[in-house]
């Protein structure tokens, strides 16, 4: 297409989302300054916010989709200042923060899916590769 247009509205604030991942025809965006995950149903052009309120600033800077069998799978968001990995279940639209580990600030910004796992490169406070 040689044109552009906007969908969704009423999203306030600055630097709301950073990093998006596609699961089938749905795009999920990681909350950077926003307190919720942004869900974009591309097929129907419906935009909603999902999940619990996640406080803080500069929480997640990237996310990737991981296929799980024949289902859409999950989205993994790497912690930047959040301290915890964020998991979005794209089949149920549930959002959870993993509590098994806590990470340093300025932790991870670049991730890649490999089969059913995600590998994230450290950027600042962390000194090891994150595997989810």
């Amino acid at each position: 297409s040689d044109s552009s247009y906007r969908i969704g509205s009423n999203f306030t604030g600055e630097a709301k989302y950073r990093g998006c991942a596609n699961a089938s025809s749905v795009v999920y965006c990681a909350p950077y300054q926003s307190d919720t995950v942004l869900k974009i149903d591309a097929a129907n052009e419906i935009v909603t916010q999902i999940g619990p309120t996640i406080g803080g600033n500069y929480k997640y800077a990237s996310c990737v989709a991981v296929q799980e069998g024949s289902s859409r799978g999950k989205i993994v968001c790497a912690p930047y200042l959040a301290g915890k990995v964020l998991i979005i279940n794209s089949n149920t639209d549930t959002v959870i923060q993993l509590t098994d580990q806590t990470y340093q600030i300025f932790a991870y910004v670049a991730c890649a899916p490999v089969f059913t796992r995600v590998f994230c490169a450290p950027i600042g406070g962390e000194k090891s590769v994150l595997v989810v």
Side-chain angles (χ1 to χ4, degrees):
S1 171
D2 292 333
S3 64
S4 63
Y5 57 96
R6 295 180 176 99
I7 60 174
S9 62
N10 299 321
F11 302 112
T12 60
E14 299 294 322
K16 294 171 275 301
Y17 299 95
R18 186 168 180 184
C20 297
N22 176 33
S24 195
S25 65
V26 179
V27 177
Y28 296 89
C29 304
Y32 193 59
Q33 291 276 64
S34 178
D35 290 332
T36 56
V37 170
L38 188 68
K39 176 186 174 185
I40 306 165
D41 178 339
N44 298 303
E45 296 189 350
I46 298 170
V47 181
T48 55
Q49 293 171 300
I50 64 168
T53 298
I54 303 169
N57 295 314
Y58 313 110
K59 295 174 281 291
Y60 299 94
S62 67
C63 58
V64 295
V66 179
Q67 189 71 24
E68 292 185 328
S70 62
S71 66
R72 289 192 334 215
K74 66 182 176 184
I75 309 296
V76 176
C77 301
Y80 184 59
L81 290 186
K84 294 177 175 40
V85 173
L86 188 73
I87 303 290
I88 305 162
N89 182 322
S90 62
N91 295 304
T92 61
D93 285 343
T94 54
V95 178
I96 62 165
Q97 287 182 305
L98 297 184
T99 58
D100 61 336
Q101 298 284 327
T102 300
Y103 300 95
Q104 302 292 322
I105 61 170
F106 306 112
Y108 301 96
V109 294
C111 298
V114 179
F115 302 111
T116 59
R117 298 183 297 170
V118 173
F119 294 82
C120 303
I123 187 169
E126 286 293 334
K127 306 214 182 319
S128 302
V129 171
L130 172 64
V131 181
V132 180

